[in-house]
Amino acid sequence: MSLITDTVNPGIRLLTIDRPAKRNAFDIETYVALAEGIVEADRDHEVRVIVITGSGGVFTAGNDLVDFRDQPDSMAAFDLLRTLVATEKPIVAAVEGFAVGIGASMLLHCDLAFAGNSTVFSLPFVTLGLTPEGATTLVLPRIAGVKLATELLMLGKKFTSKRAEEAGLINRAVADGTALAAALETATSLQELPTESVRITKRLLHRDRLEVLQVIDEEAEFFRKRCHSTEAKAAIAHFLN
């Protein structure tokens, strides 16, 4: 299995992406497993907070490029993103090593996120001949400003945890190896608060949820078309060879 599920403390569900040989890159099975794990935790009355992390000191290297090549019409990634947006319980992310592509964009839909200082982030959609996903073209400009969002999305270069903090992708950069501890500490604080007050506050903070879901679908159409483009096929082949 590519997902490890644990209840580490009463009320806290820990979901760990586990494909260490691929730097925890998402394949279809992993997208489905994580989405199902989130839905199950959201429905479990004993769970108050969901924590997402990656095994082996790596969050995720993004989408497995083999799937882009072999499964260009898969909707598994977009189903995961919709699941993150629709979840009522708070989600906390613990990020180390790499957060690439959807590994970075999904943080926009986590309520809180912490990353090790040396974590490498990137949103390399354009460099792969693709287009942004996860409603990044809506949410990132709102929180980071248009200029910084344009730099991160259009140039697709790697950036640091400090830059991710400035852009609002994470709450705070922490010492390497301590992101999970910071996430669990925050999750413990959340699960000790009145449950319904936390849920209502999250709902109010994300009153644009329907708009975000609409943009995820709009971006998905462009993304799928680009997966079939000559530019994307050439770029992906280059990275795989």
Side-chain angles (χ1 to χ4, degrees), residues 34-109:
L34 182 54
E36 289 179 347
I38 293 169
V39 169
E40 181 183 351
D42 203 34
R43 292 175 177 170
D44 188 334
H45 296 299
E46 299 298 318
V47 176
R48 293 191 173 190
V49 186
I50 302 164
V51 177
I52 301 174
T53 192
S55 66
V58 174
F59 188 54
T60 174
N63 198 101
D64 192 325
L65 293 182
V66 173
D67 277 3
F68 279 155
R69 183 191 65 193
D70 298 343
Q71 304 286 340
D73 292 316
S74 171
M75 295 300 290
F78 306 107
D79 290 340
L80 171 60
L81 292 163
R82 292 189 194 95
T83 298
L84 288 166
V85 174
T87 301
E88 294 187 359
K89 294 176 181 176
I91 301 174
V92 185
V95 182
E96 300 276 3
F98 293 92
V100 178
I102 193 170
S105 60
M106 65 186 284
L107 299 177
L108 294 170
H109 308 300

Side-chain angles (χ1 to χ4, degrees), residues 151-226:
E151 178 183 331
L152 299 181
L153 288 172
M154 199 170 289
L155 296 178
K157 293 182 178 180
K158 298 174 182 178
F159 57 100
T160 64
S161 291
K162 180 180 179 181
R163 196 65 160 162
E165 186 176 337
E166 292 171 357
L169 283 168
I170 62 172
N171 290 82
R172 188 166 69 252
V174 297
D176 288 340
T178 68
L180 181 56
L184 290 174
E185 180 181 356
T186 301
T188 299
S189 297
L190 284 169
Q191 68 94 17
E192 291 173 348
L193 294 169
T195 304
E196 195 60 20
S197 293
V198 171
R199 284 196 183 194
I200 293 171
T201 300
K202 174 167 178 170
R203 192 176 305 144
L204 292 170
L205 283 166
H206 297 283
R207 54 169 53 89
D208 63 346
R209 180 179 295 177
L210 292 178
E211 183 183 13
V212 172
L213 289 169
Q214 181 180 354
V215 175
I216 286 175
D217 290 343
E218 180 183 1
E219 290 177 348
E221 286 304 307
F222 284 107
F223 193 95
R224 290 173 63 197
K225 289 177 182 176
R226 292 300 301 165

Side-chain angles (χ1 to χ4, degrees), residues 65 68-69 125-130 225-241:
L65 293 182
F68 279 155
R69 183 191 65 193
F125 305 113
V126 170
T127 60
L128 289 170
L130 304 170
K225 289 177 182 176
R226 292 300 301 165
C227 280
H228 290 279
S229 70
T230 302
E231 287 180 329
K233 289 178 179 179
I236 292 166
H238 174 75
F239 276 91
L240 287 173
N241 293 331

